[in-house]
Amino acid sequence: MTTPPTTPLADLPADLPANPWPAPRARQPISATVSLPGSKSLANRALLLAALADGPSVVRRALRSRDTLLMAAALRALGAEIDTEGDDWQVTPATWDSAAAEIDCGLAGTVMRFVPPIAALNRGRIGFDGDPHMRTRPVGQMLEALRTLGVTIEDAGRGALPFTVHGAGTVPGGVVVIDASSSSQFISALLLAGARYADGVDVRHDGKPVPSLPHIEMTVAMLRERGVQVTEEANRWRVAPGPIAALDTVIEPDLSNAAPFLALAAVSGGTVTVRDWPASTTQPGDELRDILARMGCTVDRTEAGLRVAGSGRLQGVDLDLHDIGELTPAIAALCAVAETPSRLRGVAHIRGHETDRLAALATELTALGAAVTEHPDGLDIAPAPLHGGIFHTYADHRMAHAGVILAAAVDDVLVEDIGTTSKTFPDFADAWSRLWN
């Protein structure tokens, strides 16, 4: 079986990070069937809607990760009861009577952006802060939108964490114009809370195209499943005021977390099946099927799930990833080992994700020998001989995915801080290593 790199630690550079992980190298085709944890995007929306609902709900097969536990803790701070002990999480709606609370957003954009609009329904002072990098992630546009809707917010003019929401127990709501070109979560956040506002919410986007539209479609679908009236036009979404029905929800596997596993089939010339791939889904990760096929893989559905077979040779691609930006790191890693040039574009907004992903990818790929040209909205990647080295992750789980993909194709790649994958995939390193056993 394939073994990890064997470079003695004593021979590694003196500035080596304290916890480099010798990710396994695929020296022969890998064949495996994989079960993924649940979708973070679906789980955090389901938890928030359950806290707003008109009765108790169950979130089944809930993802247990840092992001979802932070969301559960935030909703508890607002008066919800959430039992996270088992695989199925019981949720009793919030009471909205906390006199004061502090919300830790960690590195979870869904907590930083989805919780403030519902914190305004509380009768008290709710403070928000998070990890140091979260203080640089965009949220100012949404805070201004909440002020337009009648919410009192203190942020000392930063338009960023830390900030405080002063809840009055009700929010007038109504029409709001927002530039959501840096994050679709701004719109989802307002829609998720809108049914509980006195006049609902009428969100109008004014700016460059909204990125990651599938995530807004996910939000709209989940609201409608709970009986909420949502109407859509070009760059406009309206949510009517009214109850949010309690609903037991089964969380789909996280398809974006499938990226490194399916990529392993592509780079090793093996076959990987991801169990329980949904026949229909709003998850952006479903686009992996088309992308991998365009790069030269065979992609089909079986009774077990989605199967990807690689030939060991990859073709470059020209892709607009605007709606599926979270897949960019994994795709960039595949492009770095492809036989023809690639262009990845339309993803300027991912500079505001857990890290500036475009700059980070350009830096780390170049450090391993890749020929990368960084553009304001993407990357050009040309074929070039790659070599080993340290792949830094910048506390970003998607960067870690890119690192392990490269390590599977290139000798002696060490991935710094593999533990950052716990954001959406606890025990990722163990699950990845088991593929070689």
Side-chain angles (χ1 to χ4, degrees):
M1 302 302 290
T2 307
T3 57
T6 57
T7 305
L9 287 179
D11 296 337
L12 293 171
D15 62 349
L16 182 71
N19 56 347
W21 187 57
R25 169 77 159 92
R27 303 187 186 280
Q28 62 188 35
I30 299 293
S31 295
T33 299
V34 178
S35 293
L36 298 176
S39 162
K40 178 263 296 184
S41 296
L42 289 168
N44 273 358
R45 284 166 171 79
L47 288 170
L48 187 141
L49 288 170
L52 291 168
D54 59 7
S57 303
V58 181
V59 179
R60 303 190 186 280
R61 300 183 188 174
L63 167 68
R64 181 180 298 278
S65 72
R66 188 185 184 208
D67 275 21
T68 55
L69 291 172
L70 285 169
M71 177 63 82
L75 297 173
R76 286 194 194 101
L78 298 178
E81 296 179 12
I82 304 179
D83 180 356
T84 60
E85 289 301 314
D87 293 336
D88 300 338
W89 294 6
Q90 311 285 329
V91 183
T92 301
T95 54
W96 312 111
D97 57 3
S98 299
E102 296 296 326
I103 304 296
D104 178 10
C105 301
L107 276 172
T110 51
V111 177
M112 179 178 69
R113 295 170 182 143
F114 290 1
V115 178
I118 69 167
L121 298 168
N122 192 67
R123 296 183 183 276
R125 173 194 177 281
I126 310 298
F128 290 81
D129 205 351
D131 291 3
H133 178 67
M134 282 296 277
R135 296 185 175 190
T136 69
R137 294 189 68 182
V139 73
Q141 289 281 350
M142 196 193 70
L143 298 183
E144 286 303 313
L146 288 174
R147 291 186 177 107
T148 299
L149 295 171
V151 180
T152 299
I153 297 172
E154 293 180 2
D155 66 349
R158 288 183 299 270
L161 288 172
F163 57 80
T164 300
V165 174
H166 293 274
T170 185
V171 176
V175 176
V176 60
V177 179
I178 187 171
D179 180 355
S181 57
S182 62
S183 176
S184 67
Q185 289 182 354
F186 295 166
I187 291 173
S188 284
L190 298 170
L191 300 184
L192 288 165
R196 294 296 304 273
Y197 291 178
D199 295 325
V201 71
D202 183 343
V203 182
R204 305 177 186 187
H205 166 65
D206 183 13
K208 296 178 181 179
V210 179
S212 304
L213 279 173
H215 280 114
I216 298 177
E217 294 168 2
M218 176 187 294
T219 297
V220 170
M222 294 182 73
L223 285 165
R224 287 173 172 162
E225 287 171 351
R226 291 158 177 80
V228 177
Q229 181 181 340
V230 185
T231 58
E232 302 173 87
E233 302 173 19
N235 292 319
R236 183 180 181 185
W237 299 262
R238 286 174 287 178
V239 175
I244 297 173
L247 180 69
D248 292 354
T249 306
V250 178
I251 301 301
E252 297 173 0
D254 190 323
L255 304 189
S256 293
N257 273 335
F261 296 94
L262 298 179
L264 181 59
V267 301
S268 74
T271 303
V272 172
T273 298
V274 173
R275 288 194 181 102
D276 302 320
W277 196 281
S280 177
T281 182
T282 54
Q283 290 191 64
D286 194 43
E287 293 297 319
L288 286 166
R289 296 185 296 120
D290 176 64
I291 292 168
L292 289 169
R294 290 175 63 176
M295 297 190 80
C297 297
T298 300
V299 181
D300 59 3
R301 294 183 182 274
T302 69
E303 291 185 2
L306 185 77
R307 181 176 62 192
V308 171
S311 66
R313 303 180 66 179
L314 287 169
Q315 299 301 307
V317 284
D318 184 341
L319 296 173
D320 185 339
L321 300 176
H322 186 261
D323 287 344
I324 53 174
E326 65 195 49
L327 300 179
T328 303
I331 295 168
L334 287 173
C335 292
V337 297
E339 297 180 350
T340 56
S342 296
R343 176 73 191 273
L344 306 180
R345 50 195 167 80
V347 284
H349 61 282
I350 71 172
R351 293 186 183 277
H353 282 194
E354 282 80 346
T355 188
D356 180 338
R357 284 179 173 165
L358 290 179
L361 286 166
T363 298
E364 299 307 313
L365 292 174
T366 299
L368 299 184
V372 181
T373 302
E374 182 181 350
H375 299 284
D377 77 330
L379 303 170
D380 286 343
I381 303 173
L386 302 182
H387 54 75
I390 304 164
F391 191 92
H392 298 87
T393 61
Y394 305 81
D396 185 340
H397 59 143
R398 303 298 182 199
M399 287 295 294
H401 290 175
V404 299
I405 293 168
L406 288 164
V410 180
D411 288 339
D412 300 330
V413 173
L414 296 105
V415 180
E416 176 256 348
D417 190 17
I418 192 64
T420 193
T421 53
S422 65
K423 177 180 173 69
T424 57
F425 196 147
D427 303 319
F428 172 85
D430 289 342
W432 186 256
S433 297
R434 283 195 296 271
L435 302 180
W436 276 258
N437 296 327

